[in-house]
Amino acid sequence: NAGVTQTPKFQVLKTGQSMTLQCAQDMNHNSMYWYRQDPGMGLRLIYYSASEGTTDKGEVPNGYNVSRLNKREFSLRLESAAPSQTSVYFCASSELGPPLHFGNGTRLTVT
Amino acid sequence: SQELEQSPQSLIVQEGKNLTINCTSSKTLYGLYWYKQKYGEGLIFLMMLQKGGEEKSHEKITAKLDEKKQQSSLHITASQPSHAGIYLCGADGDGATNKLIFGTGTLLAVQP
């Protein structure tokens, strides 16, 4: 029973490089979320998807794009990474309502 | 915009002691959610509170929402090393459960 799986677990990028963070859930949930966690800032919502085919901006969407590929998968893309995007990224899912199941995070460093 | 303030920021207790963590909102809460995070892992959902005066318990953890729905407390009785971690509160101040606002967390260490 995997729950929410995030890949990769760690990543180092140089400024300007692009990458996609992958997230998949096996609970048939409708809602999926991307958060970033920074020291002293708590978790901040980047994007969320209430259902397959829909996405909406959260609190800090600038510099990111998302794709809800199907009901299972929700990816987060950084087109041109910046040092300010150094963070721990969490994907989460729920059937509806607030995020209930979280992945273990992707630790991203942008140099 | 709504803000959540947690106190204390960090806490060290001896095993067996009781402790309380507080979460205060700048606006009336429609729903208040408590999560626990172990180092290097994702969040684990603990409890949800929605009604003023509501209280819920799970094992040795009790969460309460005040009557005015602006403050919640998380109380741990007879703390154990397994309780160590970061506790975060989240809130949907305008009823938008898809857009929770989180507090900055309380780091709890339990000394054996």
mmCIF file of all heavy atoms in Angstrom, chain A residues 8-26:
data_model
loop_
_atom_site.group_PDB
_atom_site.id
_atom_site.type_symbol
_atom_site.label_atom_id
_atom_site.label_comp_id
_atom_site.label_asym_id
_atom_site.label_seq_id
_atom_site.Cartn_x
_atom_site.Cartn_y
_atom_site.Cartn_z
ATOM 1 N N PRO A 8 11.960 12.740 -7.767
ATOM 2 C CA PRO A 8 12.973 12.049 -6.955
ATOM 3 C C PRO A 8 12.874 12.462 -5.490
ATOM 4 O O PRO A 8 12.101 13.342 -5.147
ATOM 5 C CB PRO A 8 14.282 12.564 -7.576
ATOM 6 C CG PRO A 8 13.947 13.962 -7.998
ATOM 7 C CD PRO A 8 12.514 13.914 -8.469
ATOM 8 N N LYS A 9 13.683 11.864 -4.643
ATOM 9 C CA LYS A 9 13.720 12.249 -3.230
ATOM 10 C C LYS A 9 14.654 13.433 -3.012
ATOM 11 O O LYS A 9 14.439 14.254 -2.116
ATOM 12 C CB LYS A 9 14.174 11.068 -2.376
ATOM 13 C CG LYS A 9 13.181 9.927 -2.350
ATOM 14 C CD LYS A 9 13.626 8.824 -1.422
ATOM 15 C CE LYS A 9 12.581 7.706 -1.396
ATOM 16 N NZ LYS A 9 12.990 6.591 -0.498
ATOM 17 N N PHE A 10 15.698 13.504 -3.793
ATOM 18 C CA PHE A 10 16.667 14.594 -3.703
ATOM 19 C C PHE A 10 17.019 15.052 -5.113
ATOM 20 O O PHE A 10 17.038 14.258 -6.044
ATOM 21 C CB PHE A 10 17.963 14.146 -3.001
ATOM 22 C CG PHE A 10 17.778 13.647 -1.605
ATOM 23 C CD1 PHE A 10 17.604 12.303 -1.352
ATOM 24 C CD2 PHE A 10 17.782 14.537 -0.537
ATOM 25 C CE1 PHE A 10 17.427 11.834 -0.065
ATOM 26 C CE2 PHE A 10 17.614 14.077 0.757
ATOM 27 C CZ PHE A 10 17.432 12.726 0.996
ATOM 28 N N GLN A 11 17.283 16.355 -5.250
ATOM 29 C CA GLN A 11 17.694 16.875 -6.547
ATOM 30 C C GLN A 11 18.489 18.150 -6.350
ATOM 31 O O GLN A 11 18.118 18.991 -5.511
ATOM 32 C CB GLN A 11 16.482 17.163 -7.422
ATOM 33 C CG GLN A 11 16.809 17.630 -8.833
ATOM 34 C CD GLN A 11 17.383 16.509 -9.689
ATOM 35 O OE1 GLN A 11 16.849 15.403 -9.738
ATOM 36 N NE2 GLN A 11 18.491 16.804 -10.364
ATOM 37 N N VAL A 12 19.572 18.270 -7.092
ATOM 38 C CA VAL A 12 20.346 19.510 -7.109
ATOM 39 C C VAL A 12 20.318 20.053 -8.533
ATOM 40 O O VAL A 12 20.622 19.327 -9.483
ATOM 41 C CB VAL A 12 21.803 19.287 -6.661
ATOM 42 C CG1 VAL A 12 22.576 20.602 -6.725
ATOM 43 C CG2 VAL A 12 21.851 18.722 -5.246
ATOM 44 N N LEU A 13 19.926 21.296 -8.671
ATOM 45 C CA LEU A 13 19.862 21.942 -9.981
ATOM 46 C C LEU A 13 20.734 23.187 -10.000
ATOM 47 O O LEU A 13 20.960 23.800 -8.945
ATOM 48 C CB LEU A 13 18.430 22.374 -10.309
ATOM 49 C CG LEU A 13 17.369 21.324 -10.567
ATOM 50 C CD1 LEU A 13 16.029 22.020 -10.818
ATOM 51 C CD2 LEU A 13 17.750 20.464 -11.762
ATOM 52 N N LYS A 14 21.155 23.555 -11.180
ATOM 53 C CA LYS A 14 21.807 24.849 -11.335
ATOM 54 C C LYS A 14 20.754 25.857 -11.771
ATOM 55 O O LYS A 14 19.750 25.509 -12.411
ATOM 56 C CB LYS A 14 22.919 24.756 -12.369
ATOM 57 C CG LYS A 14 24.084 23.870 -11.930
ATOM 58 C CD LYS A 14 25.200 23.887 -12.945
ATOM 59 C CE LYS A 14 26.375 23.039 -12.455
ATOM 60 N NZ LYS A 14 27.490 23.002 -13.421
ATOM 61 N N THR A 15 20.970 27.090 -11.436
ATOM 62 C CA THR A 15 20.052 28.158 -11.824
ATOM 63 C C THR A 15 19.789 28.112 -13.322
ATOM 64 O O THR A 15 20.729 28.020 -14.118
ATOM 65 C CB THR A 15 20.633 29.528 -11.436
ATOM 66 O OG1 THR A 15 20.779 29.574 -10.008
ATOM 67 C CG2 THR A 15 19.723 30.648 -11.873
ATOM 68 N N GLY A 16 18.515 28.162 -13.673
ATOM 69 C CA GLY A 16 18.136 28.147 -15.069
ATOM 70 C C GLY A 16 17.764 26.772 -15.607
ATOM 71 O O GLY A 16 17.123 26.671 -16.659
ATOM 72 N N GLN A 17 18.151 25.714 -14.921
ATOM 73 C CA GLN A 17 17.797 24.366 -15.373
ATOM 74 C C GLN A 17 16.317 24.104 -15.102
ATOM 75 O O GLN A 17 15.689 24.767 -14.265
ATOM 76 C CB GLN A 17 18.657 23.316 -14.665
ATOM 77 C CG GLN A 17 20.091 23.284 -15.134
ATOM 78 C CD GLN A 17 20.875 22.154 -14.501
ATOM 79 O OE1 GLN A 17 20.755 21.858 -13.313
ATOM 80 N NE2 GLN A 17 21.719 21.511 -15.295
ATOM 81 N N SER A 18 15.783 23.134 -15.793
ATOM 82 C CA SER A 18 14.381 22.778 -15.600
ATOM 83 C C SER A 18 14.294 21.355 -15.067
ATOM 84 O O SER A 18 15.225 20.552 -15.234
ATOM 85 C CB SER A 18 13.620 22.892 -16.916
ATOM 86 O OG SER A 18 14.150 21.986 -17.867
ATOM 87 N N MET A 19 13.199 21.071 -14.424
ATOM 88 C CA MET A 19 12.956 19.713 -13.967
ATOM 89 C C MET A 19 11.475 19.528 -13.627
ATOM 90 O O MET A 19 10.748 20.515 -13.426
ATOM 91 C CB MET A 19 13.800 19.356 -12.750
ATOM 92 C CG MET A 19 13.299 19.875 -11.432
ATOM 93 S SD MET A 19 14.009 18.996 -10.012
ATOM 94 C CE MET A 19 13.323 17.367 -10.216
ATOM 95 N N THR A 20 11.066 18.279 -13.580
ATOM 96 C CA THR A 20 9.697 17.926 -13.217
ATOM 97 C C THR A 20 9.714 17.018 -12.010
ATOM 98 O O THR A 20 10.429 16.019 -11.992
ATOM 99 C CB THR A 20 8.989 17.222 -14.382
ATOM 100 O OG1 THR A 20 8.945 18.109 -15.505
ATOM 101 C CG2 THR A 20 7.569 16.843 -13.986
ATOM 102 N N LEU A 21 8.931 17.398 -11.009
ATOM 103 C CA LEU A 21 8.739 16.562 -9.832
ATOM 104 C C LEU A 21 7.490 15.716 -10.075
ATOM 105 O O LEU A 21 6.437 16.233 -10.454
ATOM 106 C CB LEU A 21 8.550 17.413 -8.575
ATOM 107 C CG LEU A 21 9.801 18.033 -7.936
ATOM 108 C CD1 LEU A 21 10.437 19.061 -8.858
ATOM 109 C CD2 LEU A 21 9.434 18.665 -6.605
ATOM 110 N N GLN A 22 7.649 14.422 -9.816
ATOM 111 C CA GLN A 22 6.560 13.510 -10.083
ATOM 112 C C GLN A 22 5.838 13.113 -8.795
ATOM 113 O O GLN A 22 6.450 12.992 -7.737
ATOM 114 C CB GLN A 22 7.091 12.235 -10.767
ATOM 115 C CG GLN A 22 7.913 12.471 -12.012
ATOM 116 C CD GLN A 22 7.073 12.899 -13.195
ATOM 117 O OE1 GLN A 22 5.844 12.895 -13.154
ATOM 118 N NE2 GLN A 22 7.753 13.278 -14.284
ATOM 119 N N CYS A 23 4.538 12.917 -8.907
ATOM 120 C CA CYS A 23 3.741 12.475 -7.767
ATOM 121 C C CYS A 23 2.675 11.533 -8.263
ATOM 122 O O CYS A 23 1.996 11.835 -9.259
ATOM 123 C CB CYS A 23 3.103 13.663 -7.070
ATOM 124 S SG CYS A 23 1.962 13.198 -5.739
ATOM 125 N N ALA A 24 2.505 10.419 -7.569
ATOM 126 C CA ALA A 24 1.457 9.467 -7.922
ATOM 127 C C ALA A 24 0.815 8.937 -6.655
ATOM 128 O O ALA A 24 1.493 8.698 -5.653
ATOM 129 C CB ALA A 24 2.047 8.308 -8.730
ATOM 130 N N GLN A 25 -0.517 8.776 -6.708
ATOM 131 C CA GLN A 25 -1.234 8.200 -5.560
ATOM 132 C C GLN A 25 -2.054 7.016 -6.039
ATOM 133 O O GLN A 25 -2.593 7.029 -7.140
ATOM 134 C CB GLN A 25 -2.108 9.269 -4.872
ATOM 135 C CG GLN A 25 -3.038 10.060 -5.775
ATOM 136 C CD GLN A 25 -4.421 9.496 -5.935
ATOM 137 O OE1 GLN A 25 -4.798 8.529 -5.264
ATOM 138 N NE2 GLN A 25 -5.206 10.096 -6.819
ATOM 139 N N ASP A 26 -2.160 6.022 -5.165
ATOM 140 C CA ASP A 26 -2.847 4.793 -5.540
ATOM 141 C C ASP A 26 -4.145 4.607 -4.762
ATOM 142 O O ASP A 26 -4.616 3.476 -4.588
ATOM 143 C CB ASP A 26 -1.915 3.592 -5.335
ATOM 144 C CG ASP A 26 -1.472 3.416 -3.892
ATOM 145 O OD1 ASP A 26 -1.925 4.200 -3.021
ATOM 146 O OD2 ASP A 26 -0.678 2.506 -3.625
#
